[in-house]
Amino acid sequence: KTKLFLVERQEIKARGRHYLTKQTLQHSEAKQGSFSGNSPESGSVYCFGFNHRKTAFIKKYFPKNTFSFVSTQEKAGELAKTKNKILNGEKPVSIWVWGTRIPNEIKPLVKYKSISFFYVEDGFVCSDSNNPDSDVMPFSLAVDSLANHYEGGKPSDIENILSSYDFARDASVVNRAGLLREKMAVNHIGKKLFAGVRDAGNIFTGEEGTNYILVVGQPETQASIKNSNDNFELLRLAKQEHPEDIILYKPFEAHVVSFSNDTKKYLADNKIEVISDELSTLVLFKQIKQVYVVKSLVGLDALVRGIPVTTTGCPFYAGWGLTDDRRAIPRRSRKLTLDELIAGTYILYLKYFD
């Protein structure tokens, strides 16, 4: 059995931050084979790209594993020693990489059948491990044996689940997904903790009947957005398709003050309002007509709430007939219901910590 966390919003002041209390909804997975490339629950694990904070919580998630954390900045000689330990040490052994942070010296080991390989990233529920100011352990992790979930050009475990799982035979998991969808919407559950400013009244100041379009930016140096249309083109697309509507732009946190001159001019000329980091997108959803993203998980949060989403990249939740996709994804020909997408993503794929 696995445990899926539903979060009841409750403000608790602890060291000056908002925390969330947890409620659990237990469910049994249907036994249709291992689609998710489940990470080993025991054995030696060599981890690359894990900072100090991540080393702490990964041990809590997988207490039966023995972890060795290796810096990606190690010199070639030290990496060669690590490589030798992996090849000749005790088995079972696996390599876990946070994101794409794997040294070139270690990459060839991916081909060895005796060595399991996993990509680890923040999950899609109250998880933001890349925020250096956060001391909250992520509620969820994505552990994938094929590729990171945001590498849409490559097959992945989550794509295999969504393309192959027999949801028709497992009505219970789809029904649970429907319940989860309702709980997430009511309790403001999303990728990030629901914190900061909660009143968006000063944003929606247009006349009655005004439509608001949300454009979500990502840093173009981030792995998840490489080889995708950039934020400026995303803004232009939204404005072109909604010339009479009000465009709201939510940039990636660290890049709110790093706009190019062209972007600054475009924002000013078209009266596009930039949304601050303090305002959660979960608050904005109440009055948003449509969301434009490259690959951002804000698009998934919007889908959960029934908001139309346009994608210009190749996020894992695109290509299943639920999003307006501007980039062809030939591998994904199956049509899913929203609850099937939620079941595959939140219930069958992610790992949670109790």
Side-chain angles (χ1 to χ4, degrees):
K1 290 186 176 180
T2 60
K3 286 186 176 180
L4 178 64
F5 292 100
L6 301 181
V7 184
E8 176 185 18
R9 185 176 56 147
Q10 179 178 347
E11 293 185 1
I12 300 177
K13 291 288 188 175
R15 294 188 299 278
R17 287 184 168 84
H18 289 288
Y19 283 71
L20 301 173
T21 58
K22 292 177 286 186
Q23 292 179 325
T24 59
L25 172 67
Q26 281 196 307
H27 65 83
S28 302
E29 288 186 5
K31 299 187 179 301
Q32 299 192 49
S34 177
F35 282 88
S36 59
N38 288 328
S39 54
E41 299 298 332
S42 61
S44 298
V45 179
Y46 288 82
C47 295
F48 296 85
F50 287 68
N51 61 26
H52 177 72
R53 180 168 170 267
K54 293 168 184 173
T55 62
F57 66 66
I58 202 71
K59 291 178 180 178
K60 294 181 179 179
Y61 263 85
F62 304 96
K64 295 182 181 180
N65 291 97
T66 302
F67 288 96
S68 298
F69 297 96
V70 185
S71 170
T72 54
Q73 305 301 317
E74 289 281 6
K75 295 181 178 179
E78 293 301 316
L79 288 172
K81 292 180 182 179
T82 299
K83 181 178 179 180
N84 184 61
K85 290 179 182 178
I86 295 173
L87 288 171
N88 301 310
E90 294 184 3
K91 302 294 186 294
V93 63
S94 58
I95 296 173
W96 295 11
V97 177
W98 190 276
T100 57
R101 302 177 182 90
I102 179 170
N104 291 330
E105 293 84 350
I106 304 298
K107 285 183 180 179
L109 300 184
V110 175
K111 300 178 181 179
Y112 284 70
K113 293 184 178 179
S114 60
I115 302 172
S116 302
F117 196 92
F118 296 94
Y119 298 89
V120 185
E121 265 287 353
D122 274 320
F124 318 138
V125 177
C126 301
S127 304
D128 189 18
S129 296
N130 291 321
N131 181 356
D133 296 325
S134 174
D135 56 3
V136 180
M137 188 172 73
F139 283 15
S140 60
L141 287 177
V143 181
D144 202 298
S145 67
L146 297 177
N148 288 294
H149 65 80
Y150 52 75
E151 296 182 279
K154 303 177 182 179
S156 62
D157 290 334
I158 191 168
E159 183 178 273
N160 288 344
I161 291 172
L162 295 175
S163 63
S164 304
Y165 195 84
D166 191 350
F167 293 107
R169 287 180 53 203
D170 190 5
S172 62
V173 76
V174 179
N175 291 336
R176 286 196 299 273
L179 173 63
L180 174 59
R181 171 173 49 78
E182 294 172 0
K183 292 286 187 180
M184 291 180 73
V186 169
N187 294 299
H188 300 293
I189 310 277
K191 159 67 174 166
K192 296 186 178 181
L193 290 168
F194 185 65
V197 178
R198 300 170 188 272
D199 183 9
N202 62 333
I203 301 296
F204 304 109
T205 57
E207 297 178 358
E208 186 176 350
T210 299
N211 292 321
Y212 296 89
I213 309 299
L214 178 64
V215 179
V216 182
Q218 290 179 250
E220 290 164 25
T221 56
Q222 191 180 42
S224 62
I225 198 175
K226 288 180 180 178
N227 302 316
S228 301
N229 295 335
D230 62 21
N231 296 321
F232 184 58
E233 291 302 319
L234 190 67
L235 276 168
R236 290 178 57 182
L237 176 65
K239 187 61 180 178
Q240 179 183 345
E241 297 183 348
H242 300 274
E244 303 301 322
D245 297 334
I246 293 180
I247 308 297
L248 305 177
Y249 181 46
K250 186 86 162 59
F252 188 79
E253 293 92 330
H255 289 242
V256 69
V257 293
S258 61
F259 298 136
S260 67
N261 289 333
D262 287 343
T263 300
K264 288 179 182 177
K265 185 176 185 304
Y266 188 82
L267 292 170
D269 290 347
N270 291 278
K271 299 180 180 179
I272 296 174
E273 182 162 1
V274 178
I275 306 301
S276 72
D277 298 341
E278 294 181 348
L279 188 61
S280 169
T281 53
L282 302 179
V283 174
L284 296 174
F285 284 156
K286 295 178 181 179
Q287 290 184 252
I288 293 298
K289 175 186 177 182
Q290 187 165 346
V291 173
Y292 281 73
V293 300
V294 179
K295 295 183 179 182
S296 172
L297 287 167
V298 173
L300 179 63
D301 286 340
L303 279 182
V304 169
R305 289 149 180 84
I307 301 171
V309 176
T310 295
T311 71
T312 60
C314 187
F316 68 85
Y317 55 83
W320 311 107
L322 297 169
T323 50
D324 169 26
D325 304 316
R326 305 306 172 87
R327 180 179 173 185
I329 315 173
R331 287 197 312 273
R332 304 176 191 173
S333 57
R334 187 184 193 187
K335 302 301 180 186
L336 296 175
T337 67
L338 179 56
D339 286 348
E340 288 172 343
L341 176 74
I342 291 172
T345 299
Y346 290 98
I347 298 178
L348 300 178
Y349 179 67
L350 290 184
K351 293 185 177 295
Y352 299 85
F353 181 80
D354 185 353

